[in-house]
Amino acid sequence: MCKSVTTDEWKKVFYEKMEEAKPADSWDLIIDPNLKHNVLSPGWKQYVELHASGRFHCSWCWHTWQSPHLVILFHMFLDRAQRAGSVRMRVFKQLCYECGSARLDESSMLEENIEGLVDNLITSLREQCYGERGGQYRIHVASRQDNRRHRGEFCEACQEGIVHWKPSEKLLEEEATTYTFSRAPSPTKPQDETGSGWNFCSIPWCLFWATVLLLIIYLQFSFRSSV
């Protein structure tokens, strides 16, 4: 069952995991919808989760869709003297492409997905704020190349200049093939580089000779009937 991405849900998972990772320090997590990518105050660090997966629900037309291109932005700060830190977080939204509503909709996700994302956050936090080796990042299914084209015009992260989607080689090959077959032949290019350019086995020529043959047969029958 999907749960809405609420402050309480994220805080619950974050506090539990930070208690294990850094029990001597106090950390706070704040949802900040105005957080800007690469706009940092002095001393703050940034981590961007580019490959989260979530389900969106349009509040206008009730359309739902799954997206493997959910972007989450984190800004982190540690006050070593006070042994206290703060994390600000923004989950980027998407527009509904069915009804075209201008209302940006929030996502929902499974609790185990939230835990994996928090693990990645803490890994980055330990590396950037504590100078430690945080460990390995979890690789989500959504981080793999996707065979479907991402509709960036409906994505809040794309509109703010965050590049987080890369087309798969398969998709690029399909688009290249479609483009090749849709192009009209060049008028200056010879139809047959090795011959005279006339193809007597083509469909138009076959139709022409069939018409001539039928005409000859018709004239023979007409002549015999008149005799």
Side-chain angles (χ1 to χ4, degrees):
M1 179 179 179
C2 277
K3 296 183 178 181
S4 296
V5 182
T6 63
T7 303
D8 291 339
E9 183 63 30
W10 280 97
K11 282 187 174 182
K12 174 180 176 293
V13 177
F14 177 73
Y15 292 155
E16 289 177 353
K17 291 184 176 290
M18 280 306 297
E19 183 65 27
E20 295 180 9
K22 293 294 175 183
D25 294 343
S26 173
W27 280 86
D28 191 20
L29 177 65
I30 301 170
I31 304 293
D32 185 356
N34 298 315
L35 209 61
K36 296 297 182 183
H37 183 244
N38 288 336
V39 179
L40 298 165
S41 300
W44 285 75
K45 308 296 182 182
Q46 177 176 276
Y47 169 65
V48 187
E49 178 61 65
L50 299 174
H51 307 298
S53 179
R55 178 171 291 276
F56 290 84
H57 176 82
C58 179
S59 57
W60 182 260
C61 72
W62 306 104
H63 172 65
T64 61
W65 67 97
Q66 183 77 23
S67 174
H69 307 296
L70 183 63
V71 176
I72 307 175
L73 175 65
F74 300 96
H75 284 181
M76 309 166 290
F77 177 79
L78 172 63
D79 187 335
R80 292 183 177 272
Q82 299 294 326
R83 299 193 70 91
S86 178
V87 174
R88 293 185 174 273
M89 167 186 163
R90 176 184 177 185
V91 181
F92 286 87
K93 304 175 183 179
Q94 293 185 11
L95 291 168
C96 177
Y97 56 84
E98 284 290 331
C99 68
S101 170
R103 179 183 175 86
L104 286 163
D105 295 292
E106 296 181 350
S107 64
S108 59
M109 60 182 62
L110 296 173
E111 185 175 352
E112 54 264 32
N113 289 345
I114 296 177
E115 291 183 359
L117 295 170
V118 171
D119 284 338
N120 284 352
L121 167 63
I122 294 177
T123 296
S124 178
L125 187 148
R126 294 180 64 177
E127 291 176 350
Q128 297 194 71
C129 295
Y130 290 96
E132 301 176 356
R133 289 187 113 187
Q136 288 188 335
Y137 289 86
R138 285 200 189 186
I139 301 176
H140 300 280
V141 175
S143 66
R144 301 172 185 170
Q145 289 184 329
D146 188 28
N147 291 331
R148 296 170 299 174
R149 176 159 293 283
H150 177 54
R151 306 178 72 168
E153 66 270 24
F154 298 99
C155 175
E156 188 180 31
C158 288
Q159 294 304 309
E160 296 197 13
I162 301 177
V163 180
H164 62 103
W165 177 80
K166 181 181 179 181
S168 66
E169 293 182 2
K170 179 180 178 182
L171 181 59
L172 291 174
E173 290 176 359
E174 290 177 353
E175 290 187 347
T177 302
T178 302
Y179 173 75
T180 301
F181 280 102
S182 64
R183 288 181 61 188
S186 174
T188 59
K189 183 178 179 180
Q191 295 181 5
D192 190 333
E193 296 180 355
T194 59
S196 62
W198 297 93
N199 184 1
F200 293 100
C201 294
S202 63
I203 293 177
W205 277 106
C206 290
L207 293 175
F208 171 75
W209 290 118
T211 304
V212 171
L213 181 60
L214 290 174
L215 181 59
I216 293 173
I217 295 173
Y218 172 76
L219 290 174
Q220 287 180 345
F221 274 102
S222 299
F223 177 74
R224 290 178 182 177
S225 299
S226 62
V227 174

